[in-house]
């Protein structure tokens, strides 16, 4: 069952569908179908190409004929009646109807709707013409059209003082300066008329006014049409009548001339200064001595040393903070803006890019005023766009708005350092000494007006653009609450000679930088460098003394001095490294984590010292690394084979045709195998270099730790794409990179020592075990009289055996059925530091000399034996000698074993000299690794890290630094 309401809904839906169908059918019938062959083009016409009896149709973009008795209007987009014709109808647009006026009424009213009889002649447009000083009256007071127009003379007498207005249809009171000067509406001689104003020639006012605009950057000046028309009148009106807009206009012209002052020429700024000096009796504004009543505040004064007082004497009575409930992170800059004629426009905030010529999103533009964010914006703008966007200059007096303790709002005037300002033809603001600066107040962005030479409506010959605007914020020294001195706007203008605006462009920049006095930090750094540098000298002296003991030479010679310098280079590299890492981490932690602002990041110029220290650390560490490498490849190492021959064998005698018995030769393969293992462990490290690089790069680039190096207050590891990305700080990049490198490296070393070496593989201890299994000891001399000994003599007597016997030997050793491996019976000590006596070294050298004689002159070689046979003989001799030395065979060259003192371990040197006997020091720490990469991990880790950081500081690219670091490691 369907209710009546439901039926109504169904009926309405049906009607709706029918209506839609009807509309579709109508559109199909009415709308034209587009032919595939139709060409969508038409002739290109401009309004000026139409004839005088045609108008330009703005819809059809073509010329259309006007109607009968009509002609083109002044704009060219409509039609008007011909002279002598009245308009009787007009629709919206160019559609009008015209009718000829009768013979007795040939004139047409001003509005064109009526014919009228004129008292005199007609203008070219067919309107009535009146003599000078008269106005045309076509209607009476209530608007009724007169049959004949009349010309009324304006009353110039003292009771009225009227003249025709600009349209000639009304009498108005004449300019007050005419009345005040001449008591009439005529400025007669000897009075002076300028800019539409009349002034008496008896006033003490400069008559020789220079109407030129200075373009110091191009080295030229020319007469500006704007200055020629309005400079003298504005100055006179400001001086005589204290006209506020005229004073502002005069000030604007001074600013357009770069606030430049010349005591000889009466240009805009000289006129302004003349008025300022001659109105000393007037009161000041807001008790500011540089701000005179009725005048704009343009200068801070020309006294030497005034600029430092303004910039660094009185802090702003407000503070800033990054975090907390009362955080204040916004610089609230506002500006009082004026047009070129001196009219006040409005108060406006600088947000939204008021002073930023480069276009960008509002979020990025406003980031310039976020406290603590270093801001940099650069772009290139076409001159044609600048001429379109800035036809007339706008002037800004910038202030910083703040709230005091009582929540009252105040503004603080922001000084300006105009780098183009000339004082008596000297660019004083480009001097490095701030005591010579002349600070100003008012600025503009683009001046395309003063560069017009003959006609204010023409294209300017020259324009002036603010190409560099920098806002500097200075932190009060010692502050804990984020107090700052008044900000400083530094501005530089560029003069552009206009030739082809469509092809010319200009580069502009806007920046905000934050500075603090780095003197205390530099003093602390110098103190640390001096103290640590002194400790480095002591450390190097101890190392040199230890080296002298180990080479057995008490004399101080050139080699000793060079060795000291090399040691000092390594220690000084560590000093620079500690200072730079500590400095970087200080800025990273204290800047990013602070709530109330007490520190600001160093500016790029202040970072140069740290960058220099990093470079010194890298260079010195590279020298230390090369020294370590040279020491590693110049050590003496001999593998003592304890294996003895097993029985005898029959051996053919060459040349005799018979056989005889000979001892079974000992296999050399065990020695080769141990030597090969030694070569492999020479480059074993406690970290994985590739993993180190990839892990650091992962945390920097993927996780986003590199964002901590941005010069803003945020500690976030991510940045949203629409937000402004501040430039990177080199100090923070260095701090983040070194912190990550050290943390990951230390974690790797801990993992290697705690887990990997214990449960997976310990190659150093495995090498010692291999020596024992191979029945080979390692005798290593890193210095002339100092080295290391690895006792690898097998407890089983021999190692050259089959698998079954070797397995049995290992089983016996595991069950303690044989003696221990140590050099001393019943001990496990296999590794020793050795200090050999001079007699032992001399004997060693005599045997070693025969090994190296093959590199000498050929005449020294024995003719009865080949070089190879000599080497074999020397090898067996050395093997026998060192074996007998270890077995205490040579009483005159004996040794004894002892433990090193704790102080000896700490200082890395030996107090006891091996005079008659050599000394073997027990070494449970496997210190022979000091001649391997394994024992120099700290040096290698720091060297790789400094290489990575130096590349990044040079190119600001972590990925490139990682690639080059990897290639350096592989090479």
């Amino acid at each position: 069952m369907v209710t009546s309401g439901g039926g109504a809904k169904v009926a309405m839906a049906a009607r709706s569908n029918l209506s839609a169908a009807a509309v579709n059918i109508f559109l199909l019938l009415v709308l034209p179908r587009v032919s595939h062959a139709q060409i969508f083009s038409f002739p290109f016409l401009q309004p000026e190409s139409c004839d005088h009896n045609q108008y330009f149709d703005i819809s059809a973009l073509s010329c259309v004929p006007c109607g009968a008795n009509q002609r083109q209007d002044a704009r060219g987009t409509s039609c008007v009646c011909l002279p002598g014709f009245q308009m009787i109808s007009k629709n919206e647009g160019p559609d009008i109807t015209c009718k000829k006026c009768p013979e007795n009424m040939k004139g047409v009213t001003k509005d064109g709707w009526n014919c009228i009889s004129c008292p005199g002649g007609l203008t070219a447009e067919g309107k009535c013409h009146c003599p000078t000083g008269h106005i045309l009256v076509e209607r009476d007071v209530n608007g009724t059209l007169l049959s004949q127009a009349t010309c009324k003379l304006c009353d110039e007498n003292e009771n009225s003082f009227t003249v025709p207005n600009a349209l000639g249809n009304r009498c108005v009171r004449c300019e007050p300066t005419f009345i005040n000067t001449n008591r009439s509406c005529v400025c007669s001689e000897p009075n002076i008329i300028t800019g539409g104003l009349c002034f008496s020639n008896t006033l003490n006012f400069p008559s020789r006014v220079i109407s030129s605009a200075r373009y110091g950057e191009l080295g030229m000046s020319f007469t500006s049409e704007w200055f020629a028309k309005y400079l003298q009148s504005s100055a006179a009106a400001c001086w005589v009548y204290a006209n506020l807009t005229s004073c502002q206009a005069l000030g604007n012209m001074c600013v357009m001339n770069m606030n430049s002052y010349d005591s000889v020429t009466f240009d805009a700024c000289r006129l302004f200064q003349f008025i300022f000096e001659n109105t000393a009796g007037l009161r000041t504004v807001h008790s500011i001595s540089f701000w005179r009543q009725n005048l704009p505040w343009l200068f801070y004064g020309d006294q030497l040393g005034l600029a430092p007082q303004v910039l660094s004497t009185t802090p702003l009575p407000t503070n800033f903070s990054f975090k907390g409930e009362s955080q204040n992170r916004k610089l609230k800059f506002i500006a009082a803006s004026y047009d070129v004629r001196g009219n006040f426009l409005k108060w406006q905030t600088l947000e939204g890019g008021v002073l930023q010529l480069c276009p960008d999103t509002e979020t990025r533009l406003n980031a310039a005023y976020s406290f603590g964010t270093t801001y940099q914006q650069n772009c290139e703008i076409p001159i044609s766009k600048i001429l379109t966007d800035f036809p007339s200059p706008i002037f800004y007096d910038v202030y910083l708005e703040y709230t005091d303790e009582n929540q009252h709002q105040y503004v603080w005037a922001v000084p300006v350092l105009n780098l183009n300002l000339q004082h008596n033809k000297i660019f004083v603001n480009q001097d490095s000494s701030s005591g010579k600066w002349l600070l100003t107040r008012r600025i503009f962005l683009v001046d395309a007006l003063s560069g017009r030479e003959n006609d204010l409506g023409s294209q300017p010959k020259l324009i002036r653009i603010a190409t560099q605007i920098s806002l500097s914020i200075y932190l009060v020294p010692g502050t804990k609450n984020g107090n700052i001195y008044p900000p400083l706007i530094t501005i530089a203008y560029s003069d552009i000679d206009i030739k082809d605006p469509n092809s010319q462009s200009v580069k502009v920049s806007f920046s905000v930088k934050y500075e603090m006095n780095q003197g205390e930090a530099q003093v602390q750094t110098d103190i640390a460098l001096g103290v640590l540098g002194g400790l480095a000298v002591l450390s190097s002296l101890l190392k040199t003394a230890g080296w002298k003991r180990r080479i057995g030479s008490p004399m101080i010679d050139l080699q000793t001095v060079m060795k000291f310098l090399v040691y000092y280079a390594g220690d000084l590299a560590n000093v620079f490294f500690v200072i730079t890492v500590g400095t970087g981490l200080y800025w990273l932690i204290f800047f990013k984590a602070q709530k109330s602002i007490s520190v600001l990041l160093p500016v790029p110029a202040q970072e140069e010292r740290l960058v220099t220290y990093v470079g010194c650390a890298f260079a010195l560490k590279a020298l230390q690394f090369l020294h370590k490498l040279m020491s590693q490849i110049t050590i003496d190492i001999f593998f003592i084979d304890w294996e003895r021959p097993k029985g005898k064998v029959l051996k053919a005698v060459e040349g005799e045709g018979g056989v005889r018995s000979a001892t079974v030769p000992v296999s050399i393969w065990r020695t080769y195998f141990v030597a090969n293992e030694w070569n492999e462990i020479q480059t074993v490290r406690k970290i994985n270099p590739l993993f180190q690089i990839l892990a650091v790069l992962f945390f920097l680039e993927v996780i986003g730790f590199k964002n901590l190096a941005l010069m803003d207050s945020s500690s976030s590891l991510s940045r949203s794409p629409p937000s402004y990305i501040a430039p990177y700080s080199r100090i923070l990049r260095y701090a983040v990179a070194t912190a990550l490198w050290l943390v990951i490296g230390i974690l790797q070393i801990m993992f290697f020592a705690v887990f990997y070496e214990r449960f997976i593989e310990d190659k150093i201890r495995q090498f010692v075990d291999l020596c024992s299994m191979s029945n080979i000891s390692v005798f290593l001399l890193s210095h002339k009289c100092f080295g290391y000994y690895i006792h690898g003599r097998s407890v089983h007597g021999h190692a050259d055996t089959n698998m079954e016997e070797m397995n049995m030997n290992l089983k016996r050793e595991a069950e303690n059925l044989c003696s221990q491996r140590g050099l001393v019976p019943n001990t496990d000590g296999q590794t020793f530091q050795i200090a050999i006596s001079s007699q032992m070294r001399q004997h060693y050298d005599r045997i070693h000399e025969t090994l190296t004689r093959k590199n000498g002159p050929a005449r020294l070689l024995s003719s009865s034996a080949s070089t190879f046979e000599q080497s074999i003989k020397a090898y067996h001799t050395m093997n026998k000698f060192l074996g007998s030395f270890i077995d205490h065979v040579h009483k005159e060259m004996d040794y004894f074993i002892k433990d090193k003192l704790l102080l000896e371990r700490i200082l890395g040197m030996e107090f006891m000299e091996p005079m008659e006997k050599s000394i073997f020091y027990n070494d449970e720490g496997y210190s022979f690794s000091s001649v391997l990469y394994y024992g120099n991990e700290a040096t290698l880790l720091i060297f790789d890290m400094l290489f990575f950081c130096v590349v990044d500081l040079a190119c600001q690219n972590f990925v490139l630094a990682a690639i080059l670091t990897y290639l350096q490691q592989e090479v």
Side-chain angles (χ1 to χ4, degrees):
M1 182 176 181
V2 180
T3 62
S4 60
K9 293 181 181 178
V10 172
M12 290 177 66
R15 285 196 296 271
S16 177
N17 291 335
L18 289 173
S19 299
V23 171
N24 290 333
I25 294 173
F26 173 76
L27 292 175
L28 289 172
L29 294 175
V30 173
L31 293 179
R33 296 184 179 179
V34 180
S35 171
H36 291 291
Q38 188 170 354
I39 299 175
F40 300 98
S41 66
F42 53 87
F44 171 67
L45 296 174
Q46 294 184 354
E48 53 267 23
S49 63
C50 298
D51 293 337
H52 68 280
N53 59 347
Q54 294 178 325
Y55 73 94
F56 186 77
D57 190 334
I58 61 175
S59 175
L61 301 178
S62 60
C63 296
V64 178
C66 292
N69 305 316
Q70 299 173 22
R71 61 180 176 85
Q72 186 185 91
D73 69 352
R75 294 186 58 192
T77 58
S78 186
C79 296
V80 295
C81 295
L82 292 173
F85 289 80
Q86 70 178 111
M87 186 167 53
I88 59 175
S89 68
K90 180 179 181 181
N91 297 324
E92 291 299 328
D95 187 12
I96 62 174
T97 304
C98 301
K99 177 183 177 182
K100 186 175 177 59
C101 291
E103 289 297 328
N104 60 340
M105 303 176 73
K106 292 185 177 181
V108 181
T109 57
K110 291 284 188 180
D111 56 16
W113 284 97
N114 302 97
C115 297
I116 194 169
S117 178
C118 295
L122 299 176
T123 65
E125 292 79 19
K127 308 293 191 295
C128 296
H129 175 70
C130 287
T132 305
H134 293 70
I135 63 171
L136 178 66
V137 179
E138 298 176 335
R139 301 177 186 273
D140 59 13
V141 179
N142 62 1
T144 303
L145 183 67
L146 302 176
S147 60
Q148 182 175 2
T150 60
C151 292
K152 295 290 186 179
L153 177 65
C154 292
D155 186 4
E156 297 183 2
N157 294 323
E158 188 170 349
N159 293 332
S160 301
F161 289 126
T162 59
V163 291
N165 64 357
L167 298 177
N169 58 3
R170 183 182 170 199
C171 291
V172 295
R173 187 173 177 83
C174 58
E175 168 61 39
T177 58
F178 286 71
I179 300 173
N180 297 335
T181 303
N182 209 39
R183 301 304 298 173
S184 71
C185 290
V186 178
C187 189
S188 57
E189 293 184 354
N191 297 319
I192 302 170
I193 182 171
T194 176
L197 305 178
C198 184
F199 301 98
S200 172
N201 67 339
T202 60
L203 294 175
N204 185 21
F205 191 76
S207 56
R208 296 176 59 251
V209 174
I210 306 299
S211 302
S212 60
R214 297 184 181 183
Y215 290 86
E217 191 178 53
L218 298 177
M220 61 181 295
S221 64
F222 65 92
T223 301
S224 166
E225 182 67 13
W226 179 262
F227 284 13
K229 279 190 174 183
Y230 300 109
L231 176 57
Q232 188 173 15
S233 60
S234 298
C238 177
W239 163 242
V240 178
Y241 303 108
N243 184 278
L244 296 181
T245 55
S246 296
C247 291
Q248 295 291 339
L250 174 62
N252 290 342
M253 283 183 267
C254 176
V255 175
M256 293 162 79
N257 249 353
M258 298 290 93
N259 296 90
S260 295
Y261 174 86
D262 194 337
S263 57
V264 178
T265 1
F266 274 94
D267 56 5
C269 290
R270 183 68 181 88
L271 289 174
F272 180 88
Q273 192 67 22
F274 172 83
I275 297 173
F276 184 86
E277 292 171 354
N278 287 277
T279 54
L282 297 179
R283 64 182 179 89
T284 58
V285 179
H286 302 300
S287 301
I288 299 174
S289 59
F290 313 114
W291 196 350
R292 195 65 49 78
Q293 184 182 8
N294 302 327
L295 295 176
W297 180 10
L298 297 187
F299 299 94
Y300 278 86
D302 56 359
Q303 299 92 341
L304 290 177
L306 181 61
Q309 297 180 28
V310 174
L311 297 175
S312 58
T313 300
T314 307
L316 262 66
T318 186
N319 51 60
F320 295 88
S321 59
F322 289 153
K323 300 176 178 67
E325 297 179 357
S326 59
Q327 66 175 348
N328 181 14
R329 299 180 56 185
K330 207 68 178 175
L331 292 165
K332 300 176 182 178
F333 286 102
I334 60 173
S337 54
Y338 300 83
D339 67 9
V340 70
R341 296 180 181 274
N343 297 305
F344 176 78
L345 299 178
K346 59 181 177 180
W347 283 102
Q348 62 184 124
T349 176
L350 295 190
E351 291 187 342
V354 173
L355 297 184
Q356 294 151 277
L357 290 173
C358 296
D360 211 333
T361 63
E362 186 172 356
T363 302
R364 292 195 182 100
L365 291 173
N366 294 343
Y369 308 111
S370 178
F371 191 88
T373 299
T374 299
Y375 189 88
Q376 185 68 48
Q377 186 189 43
N378 302 278
C379 67
E380 188 169 357
I381 306 177
I383 297 297
S384 58
K385 177 174 173 33
I386 289 179
L387 293 176
T388 303
D389 295 344
F390 299 93
S392 179
I394 303 295
F395 298 85
Y396 304 96
D397 292 344
V398 183
Y399 299 86
L400 180 62
E401 181 183 356
Y402 67 94
T403 304
D404 67 357
E405 297 177 353
N406 300 321
Q407 300 303 310
H408 295 156
Q409 286 187 324
Y410 292 88
V411 292
W412 192 290
V414 178
V416 176
L417 182 68
N418 187 344
L419 300 180
N420 297 73
L421 183 149
Q422 297 183 60
H423 187 76
N424 292 325
K425 299 181 180 179
I426 299 175
F427 290 96
V428 291
N429 287 347
Q430 297 181 14
D431 197 283
S432 58
S433 173
S434 60
K436 298 181 180 179
W437 292 350
L438 296 180
L439 301 178
T440 58
R441 283 283 297 121
R442 185 165 292 186
I443 63 172
F444 64 89
L445 297 184
V446 177
D447 174 19
L449 185 62
S450 64
R452 291 180 167 93
E453 197 167 13
N454 298 315
D455 184 7
L456 292 177
S458 63
Q459 177 177 288
K461 178 181 179 181
L462 298 167
I463 65 172
R464 178 171 280 146
I465 304 171
T467 50
Q468 297 179 26
I469 300 178
S470 177
L471 185 60
S472 302
I473 313 295
Y474 297 88
L475 192 69
V476 175
T479 181
K480 302 298 181 182
N481 300 315
N483 298 110
I484 63 171
Y485 287 122
L488 173 66
I489 296 177
T490 303
I491 189 166
Y493 292 91
S494 295
D495 302 329
I496 310 298
D497 188 1
I498 302 298
K499 293 181 170 47
D500 182 8
N502 294 322
S503 61
Q504 289 179 276
S505 61
V506 62
K507 294 181 179 179
V508 299
S509 67
F510 181 88
S511 62
V512 182
K513 61 181 181 179
Y514 295 83
E515 298 184 46
M516 66 174 290
N517 187 354
Q518 300 289 335
E520 183 179 354
Q522 292 178 0
V523 168
Q524 298 295 333
T525 302
D526 292 340
I527 292 174
L529 183 61
V531 172
L532 295 179
L535 294 177
V537 172
L538 294 178
S539 173
S540 302
L541 288 174
L542 288 174
K543 290 178 181 178
T544 306
W547 173 78
K548 290 293 290 181
R549 280 183 174 272
R550 291 179 175 182
I551 66 171
S553 172
M555 301 296 295
I556 298 179
D557 51 10
L558 180 61
Q559 185 184 13
T560 305
V561 175
M562 296 302 296
K563 203 70 175 181
F564 167 78
L565 294 178
V566 171
Y567 284 135
Y568 184 60
D571 292 334
L572 194 59
N574 294 333
V575 170
F576 282 124
F577 172 73
V578 170
I579 289 177
T580 54
V581 172
T583 303
L585 292 177
Y586 169 83
W587 290 115
L588 177 64
I589 295 172
F590 283 87
F591 177 73
K592 293 288 184 176
Q594 62 186 336
K595 292 182 179 179
S596 295
I597 300 169
S598 59
V599 296
L600 292 174
L601 291 173
V603 297
Q606 295 170 334
E607 292 177 331
E608 293 300 328
R609 173 177 285 202
L610 180 129
V611 174
T612 302
Y613 286 171
V614 173
C616 292
F618 171 71
L620 295 174
K621 186 58 69 173
L623 180 61
Q624 182 188 18
F625 172 72
L626 291 176
H627 175 248
K628 294 275 187 182
L629 190 62
M630 291 298 297
S631 299
Q632 183 175 347
I633 63 178
T634 55
I635 62 174
D636 284 349
I637 183 170
F638 190 88
F639 299 97
I640 306 172
D641 191 353
W642 296 102
E643 198 75 12
R644 294 295 176 257
K646 295 180 181 180
K648 296 185 177 181
V649 295
L650 296 177
K651 181 179 178 182
V653 179
E654 185 178 354
E656 297 181 2
V659 295
R660 67 178 180 180
S661 63
T663 56
V664 177
V666 176
S667 174
I668 195 63
W669 287 109
R670 290 172 297 99
T671 306
Y672 284 169
F673 183 70
V674 173
N676 182 68
E677 288 300 313
W678 173 263
N679 285 332
E680 289 187 3
I681 66 171
Q682 284 198 82
T683 56
V684 170
R685 295 184 59 177
K686 297 179 182 180
I687 67 169
N688 186 318
L690 180 59
F691 175 81
Q692 177 79 14
I693 295 174
L694 294 179
V696 170
L697 197 60
F698 174 78
F699 280 99
L700 287 172
E701 295 289 342
V702 180
I703 303 299
F705 274 82
K706 71 175 183 179
N707 291 322
L708 292 176
L710 296 175
M711 299 178 74
D712 58 26
S713 60
S714 175
S715 300
S716 174
L717 298 182
S718 61
R719 294 290 192 274
S720 59
S723 64
Y724 170 74
I725 305 299
Y728 286 99
S729 165
R730 289 185 293 179
I731 284 183
L732 295 189
R733 286 181 73 94
Y734 179 74
V736 173
T738 52
L740 282 175
W741 197 283
L742 286 175
V743 169
I744 295 173
I746 293 173
L747 289 177
Q748 278 204 83
I749 293 173
M750 292 175 60
F751 171 81
F752 187 81
V754 174
F755 179 79
Y756 189 85
E757 286 188 334
R758 286 174 177 266
F759 303 105
I760 299 177
E761 186 181 28
D762 185 347
K763 291 189 176 183
I764 301 300
R765 285 168 175 79
Q766 286 179 354
F767 178 77
V768 176
D769 291 338
L770 176 64
C771 290
S772 296
M773 293 296 298
S774 302
N775 203 16
I776 289 179
S777 294
V778 180
F779 190 85
L780 188 152
L781 291 178
S782 58
H783 299 76
K784 182 178 181 181
C785 296
F786 181 85
Y788 305 91
Y789 174 67
I790 302 174
H791 187 63
R793 192 169 191 173
S794 175
V795 296
H796 308 291
H798 58 275
D800 196 359
T801 183
N802 56 36
M803 183 182 297
E804 181 181 0
E805 186 175 354
M806 181 172 290
N807 185 56
M808 183 64 68
N809 291 339
L810 293 175
K811 186 175 180 180
R812 290 179 59 206
E813 192 170 356
E815 296 175 354
N816 291 325
L817 298 178
C818 57
S819 60
Q820 294 176 302
R821 294 181 176 180
L823 175 61
V824 179
N826 299 319
T827 63
D828 289 328
Q830 294 182 260
T831 56
F832 301 88
Q833 294 182 9
I834 59 175
I836 61 175
S837 62
S838 58
Q839 187 178 3
M840 160 65 185
R841 179 68 198 198
Q842 291 172 5
H843 197 86
Y844 173 88
D845 288 340
R846 283 195 295 269
I847 301 173
H848 189 262
E849 184 181 5
T850 58
L851 281 171
T852 58
R853 191 181 296 175
K854 60 182 180 181
N855 298 322
R859 61 182 176 83
L860 298 178
L861 296 179
S862 173
S863 58
S864 61
S866 66
T867 303
F868 180 70
E869 291 175 345
Q870 285 186 354
S871 297
I872 293 176
K873 183 178 179 181
Y875 165 75
H876 288 298
T877 304
M878 182 68 78
N879 191 80
K880 182 178 180 181
F881 167 70
L882 293 178
S884 61
F885 171 75
I886 299 299
D887 286 338
H888 299 278
V889 173
H890 306 281
K891 298 302 180 181
E892 74 282 3
M893 294 182 291
D894 205 357
Y895 67 91
F896 63 92
I897 301 173
K898 68 183 297 277
D899 290 327
K900 255 192 174 184
L901 300 175
L902 177 62
L903 188 58
E904 288 180 315
R905 295 177 185 273
I906 294 174
L907 297 180
M909 63 183 298
E910 297 75 35
F911 296 158
M912 183 180 295
E913 292 189 25
M915 301 300 293
E916 296 180 359
K917 291 185 178 183
S918 301
I919 306 173
F920 277 43
Y921 295 98
N922 290 311
D923 180 23
E924 298 177 356
Y926 296 90
S927 62
F928 70 88
S929 62
S930 61
V931 299
L932 308 174
Y933 277 11
Y934 183 91
N936 296 281
E937 186 57 56
T939 300
L940 297 173
L941 184 70
I942 295 175
F943 174 75
D944 290 342
M945 176 171 51
L946 288 174
F947 185 90
F948 178 88
C949 292
V950 165
V951 174
D952 177 68
L953 290 176
C955 63
Q956 299 280 291
N957 190 321
F958 286 126
V959 176
L960 179 60
I963 294 173
L964 293 181
T965 304
Y966 174 74
L967 294 177
Q968 170 266 136
Q969 291 174 342
E970 292 300 308
V971 172

